[in-house]
Amino acid sequence: MSICMAGIDWKSANMDKREAFSFTGSQVEHLCRTIAQASGAAGCVLLSTCNRTELYLSGAGDLQPDALLCQAAQAEGAQTLFTVRRGRDAARHLMRVSCGLCSQILGEDQIVSQVKRAYAIAHDAQTTDAALSQLFRLAATAGKKSRTQVRLSAAPLSVAGQAVALIEQKLGSLRGTRALVIGNGEMGRLASSLLAARGCQVTVTLRSYRHGQTIVPAGCRTIAYDERMSLVPQCDILLSATTSPHYTVTKSDLEGMEQIPYVVCDLSMPRDIDPDIRGLSSVSTFFDMDSMGGRDAHVNIEDRQQVEDIIAEQMQELERWDSYRRALPRMEELRALLSQRIAEDYALEQLTAGEQAETAEKMQAAARLAADKAAQWMLAGMQNQLDERALEACREAILRKAPQLRDRSMI
């Protein structure tokens, strides 16, 4: 299986180190093209989320995904942060990622859509091939089955849910508290909805508003993004979740304020909120992505085994596909040898029976065509059972019986 990957995640590096490998969608698309061109890889997919960055490559040769990603991201010397996997190990790792087994929040909801989006970006960049297409399709299938059939944890299954749980743990009841949520993307909307559901008065920032297109969480107020700092002193909770490449809140923004929110929460990578605000005495609690999950969660052994069984099922499907793909050249040769052997025997029978050579040649051509189709149908029907060794054994058996065909063999 000519697939390899290199990854960095919340287990192997903290936010300071992971931040250098956090990319927006447009950056991911550019990097896929850059890495594919530089490496000569047949396929390239880059998965970049809040808690992990993983590069998947396919193709012949000694590909070094860790070195290629560090070079493309202009972060030479950071290769020691990455774990490199190859072949079946790389494929199975993506399956486990898609099922949420490697997530900071065990079984998280969002990872399947993030895996699918990573592949979609690479597809748009024209850096996918058959091997990575099949791998990511089956990984997404494993993730969807795991999500619908098994619940690995009773804890919230999203970063936003975990954040709100931590805020509630810190403040107690959220009823009557006030929150400013910076960002109205998927993460921001989810956090806003969860806070509002607990009785918090939530205000969400908007950079623009388009009637019928802009989604505002139910029960939430809105404020223009540029006016956000005017509302901060009135809030108990400040939460930011954007894809901005710059800080949405800096230390200097808060230093001159009479009152600062008790809880500050940053759900972005790269970070939205200047981590130096931890030094402000008025900030009671600061949460970021490294505060989410990572705790030991009680998981029923049977539930985890059910997920592993789903992964094993999809891995078997991938291996069957890979075996068939690698066997195609042998299958083509075997088909040609079968049809040639049958046609030559048929022509010899016609000549023995007294037919003219010209007639026998025409009959041979017809027999070859019929044998060729029969061989195609037979091999296609056996594709899930065939492998290279079995095909090679068939090839050698035919050539032992008809050594005159050996020089015409394709391989």
Side-chain angles (χ1 to χ4, degrees), residues 33 109 182:
R33 291 197 184 100
D109 286 336
I182 301 175

Side-chain angles (χ1 to χ4, degrees), residues 116-187:
K116 292 169 68 176
R117 175 166 168 73
Y119 174 78
I121 292 173
H123 185 268
D124 289 343
Q126 299 182 335
T127 62
T128 57
D129 69 339
L132 289 182
S133 295
Q134 187 74 351
L135 170 60
F136 273 77
R137 182 183 70 81
L138 293 174
T141 298
K144 286 186 287 187
K145 285 187 175 183
S146 175
R147 180 178 176 182
T148 56
Q149 297 176 16
V150 187
R151 186 171 181 84
L152 285 171
S153 173
L157 297 183
S158 68
V159 171
Q162 185 71 39
V164 171
L166 288 174
I167 293 171
E168 193 170 34
Q169 181 180 333
K170 179 65 180 178
L171 296 180
S173 173
L174 298 182
R175 187 164 298 280
T177 60
R178 295 161 297 177
L180 172 63
V181 176
I182 301 175
N184 192 41
E186 181 180 358
M187 183 85 76

